[in-house]
Amino acid sequence: MRPAITTRPLLLLLTLVVGALVVAACGTTADQGEPADRSDEADPAAGDDERVERLRLAGGDYGQPTPFAWVRGPGRILAGYQFDTLLWWDASGEFGPWLAEDWEANDDGTQWTFTLHDDIAWQDGEPLTAGDVAFSFDYYTEGAAADSGRGGALEVVDDVVAEDERTVTFMLPEPYAAFESDVAGSMMILPEHIWADVDDPQQYLEDDAFVGSGPYRLAEYDEAAGNYLFEANDDFFLGEPHVQRVEFVSVEDELLALERGELDVAEIAREPLPDEQYDAFDAQFGRVDGFADWTLALHFNLNEGFPYDEVDFRHAVAHAVDQQDMVDRLVFGRGLPGSSGGLAPEHELNPGDLPRYDDGPDRARELLDGLGIEDTDGDGTRELPGEESFQIELLASARFTPDGPQLVSEYLEEVGLDVEVKILDRSAADEAGAEGNYTMALHGYGGLMSDPDTLRQRYHAEAPPRGHSTVHGYADDEVDELAEAQLTATDPAERREIVADLQREIAEDLPVLSTYVPTRYLFYDEATFDGWYYTPGCSPCRGSRNKHMFVTGQETGLPDQASS
């Protein structure tokens, strides 16, 4: 049955009042000053047959959750509630078995063979076989979905062959270090009996477009509000999910909704939370700390020519931008200055010796002077060589706090650069970012804790477009060579060294400045569910959306395995 489309009126939530929260917190006795204990002993769901009837999370419209109609990273996660991949993340950040119960690569990494779990069925009762996996590859690469941009990094695969009903082999022309994450963990498997005759997959929204093999079925979707209701697939091949209903509810303020009992969890990803509010919630609710993998990134469009294509100009801007000040003022110190190499500061492959452009305004002025960008008429703002007037149009999205672009503008004006901040609505800003209709822009996106092949996908001269996070006009032979080398380096130590060198090259060129990365954390109702965790490498999973926790009720492993 196709999920209902509703237009229920929404409850308008009041502004959060700090004093009320402090008063509410005064009656509690639990000390939540430290992050919730996530050890195995503290895992209440491991080995526990008691199901959770309902979890309520903050909503948001991310499109219809089919393999092709979702939008943005969170939409992919929601579609994954219904459509499975061969492998999937758990709390370790490593990929483990999902549709595949076992897998192995040959000696040179050019063949990956997967064995599917026995008796997997689609939600309409049809069996899921290795033939569906092979069909999915063909459909994503040569079929109607070839231009959809979905399916993962399938360009690294030559062919996929179903050996028998449960065994399927991926054949690669050369080894691919990120195969598990970018292919086996990314390609949603499609039912051939449904999609074989679909010519326009992104527009296909008939009842059977929602039929997957996943742990949940979409019961309701309110497009206007951004509400979703997923109900457990009791015939799921890994067993009945631990959480029976997952609801995404539209609220104006997650923390206030949690306080009122309208949500079971509230996440803070990039929003400022003053210390008084933070302490009050920390005393009243459980807390899980995550990682800093989302950034407000300052993109330079090198296609715009001088001075954006000059490395000294980009360095000057970076020295002028006070990253620590942004952390302190925008997220009350709960975050880190961004890394100059393209990965998160806390990424295990960040070498830790990348340049920090934090010499301040004096160094910025020196570099600008060296480029001939000087205040020749004494009006306080700099002109280009030849006394040509110069104004930077700084593009930003209304989706994020206006304080970010305002601070960047102030830093640059301090060194004599004239800046006009142009804030567009989310869709217009995303479109401008994707098409390169800007000189400098602040784009917000995650994924900085992902597999380092994301560096190739963003900074290689022939990298495919990445929507609003596309880097425009950047090309460097050394970066291209290193990006390609890490791709085939299956030895971890060798790959680590290559990725470190790749980041050093990117940091020197600085086509993008990660201004700051806020630390993620969430507060939750301990009496409802205590299995929340952040998933390293999966930014859109956040700390409350990974289906693994809802299915298993544990941090690692599958339902029939002990949590480890």
Side-chain angles (χ1 to χ4, degrees), residues 214-261:
Y216 294 95
R217 304 171 189 263
L218 180 66
E220 187 174 318
Y221 167 48
D222 182 338
E223 181 177 6
N227 293 347
Y228 298 81
L229 169 61
F230 293 93
E231 296 182 342
N233 172 16
D234 293 338
D235 297 323
F236 185 52
F237 67 95
L238 292 176
E240 185 181 358
H242 181 77
V243 177
Q244 293 292 289
R245 291 160 58 100
V246 182
E247 298 182 25
F248 291 87
V249 183
S250 180
V251 297
E252 289 191 356
D253 189 310
E254 291 188 38
L255 290 171
L256 182 55
L258 174 65
E259 173 71 12
R260 289 179 166 182

Side-chain angles (χ1 to χ4, degrees), residues 119-461:
D119 297 327
I120 304 177
W122 297 104
Q123 292 171 357
D124 61 3
E126 293 292 320
L128 186 156
T129 71
D132 290 301
V133 180
F135 162 78
S136 298
F137 170 76
D138 291 339
Y139 192 75
Y140 284 120
T141 57
E142 299 178 357
D147 296 327
S148 68
R150 305 294 163 91
L154 295 180
E155 69 274 6
V156 305
V157 180
D158 272 349
D159 197 13
V160 177
V161 177
E163 311 288 355
D164 56 40
E165 291 292 290
R166 294 179 56 204
T167 308
V168 61
T169 299
F170 287 70
M171 300 178 182
L172 287 64
E174 57 185 0
Y176 180 55
F179 180 85
E180 289 174 311
S181 64
D182 291 1
V183 178
S186 294
M187 184 176 76
M188 293 183 189
I189 307 305
L190 310 172
E192 180 177 7
H193 65 282
I194 292 173
W195 291 94
D197 297 325
V198 176
D199 295 328
D200 190 353
Q202 290 176 295
Q203 299 299 319
Y204 188 69
L205 297 173
E206 298 301 319
D207 295 357
D208 55 6
F210 299 86
V211 173
S213 62
Y216 294 95
R217 304 171 189 263
L218 180 66
E220 187 174 318
Y221 167 48
D222 182 338
E223 181 177 6
N227 293 347
Y228 298 81
L229 169 61
F230 293 93
E231 296 182 342
N233 172 16
D234 293 338
D235 297 323
F236 185 52
F237 67 95
L238 292 176
E240 185 181 358
H242 181 77
V243 177
Q244 293 292 289
R245 291 160 58 100
V246 182
E247 298 182 25
F248 291 87
V249 183
S250 180
V251 297
E252 289 191 356
D253 189 310
E254 291 188 38
L255 290 171
L256 182 55
L258 174 65
E259 173 71 12
R260 289 179 166 182
E262 296 163 356
L263 294 180
D264 299 307
V265 63
E267 291 200 64
I268 304 298
R270 53 185 173 268
E271 301 82 358
L273 189 64
D275 290 343
E276 296 89 347
Q277 296 181 32
Y278 180 90
D279 292 341
F281 274 95
D282 201 30
Q284 189 175 3
F285 297 99
R287 190 186 87 229
V288 175
D289 288 346
F291 38 78
D293 78 331
W294 180 94
T295 185
L296 188 66
L298 182 59
H299 282 235
F300 301 89
N301 187 349
L302 278 66
N303 286 328
E304 291 294 311
F306 186 85
Y308 308 101
D309 60 355
E310 288 284 346
V311 67
D312 279 353
F313 175 77
R314 301 193 294 273
H315 287 185
V317 169
H319 283 295
V321 171
D322 191 336
Q323 294 173 281
Q324 186 60 54
D325 186 55
M326 296 185 76
V327 172
D328 294 339
R329 293 172 66 179
L330 296 180
V331 290
F332 294 91
R334 299 182 192 97
L336 296 167
S339 171
S340 56
L343 296 180
E346 298 174 310
H347 198 292
E348 63 175 356
L349 296 186
N350 187 316
D353 61 358
L354 300 176
R356 290 288 305 275
Y357 299 98
D358 55 2
D359 291 343
D362 287 344
R363 178 57 177 155
R365 295 185 186 99
E366 179 183 345
L367 289 169
L368 292 171
D369 289 344
L371 290 169
I373 305 175
E374 301 174 293
D375 179 11
T376 56
D377 58 11
D379 67 351
T381 61
R382 294 173 180 267
E383 289 80 39
L384 296 178
E387 302 184 6
E388 179 183 351
S389 62
F390 178 45
Q391 183 180 65
I392 298 170
E393 183 178 86
L394 179 62
L395 174 73
S397 172
R399 184 181 180 215
F400 310 119
T401 172
D403 295 338
Q406 182 59 41
L407 277 179
V408 171
S409 173
E410 291 176 7
Y411 300 141
L412 298 185
E413 288 173 353
E414 184 179 353
V415 299
L417 294 174
D418 184 16
V419 179
E420 179 187 12
V421 175
K422 183 178 182 180
I423 297 180
L424 303 179
D425 64 52
R426 170 175 162 177
S427 61
D430 285 357
E431 181 180 352
E435 296 179 357
N437 294 329
Y438 63 87
T439 55
M440 287 169 52
L442 283 167
H443 297 306
Y445 49 84
L448 273 64
M449 289 286 286
S450 299
D451 186 276
D453 191 49
T454 56
L455 297 175
R456 177 187 63 87
Q457 297 168 12
R458 178 165 285 129
Y459 294 102
H460 193 285

Side-chain angles (χ1 to χ4, degrees), residues 53-106:
E53 180 179 347
R54 178 185 68 174
L55 285 180
R56 294 162 301 169
L57 295 76
D61 183 29
Y62 295 102
Q64 297 272 9
T66 79
F68 303 99
W70 57 264
V71 295
R72 288 183 169 264
R76 173 197 169 200
I77 297 301
L78 298 187
Y81 290 179
Q82 299 182 117
F83 293 87
D84 289 314
T85 54
L86 294 170
L87 307 179
W88 193 247
W89 284 282
D90 61 17
S92 70
E94 301 294 329
F95 278 86
W98 201 254
L99 283 177
E101 66 177 7
D102 190 26
W103 68 101
E104 64 179 357
N106 65 354

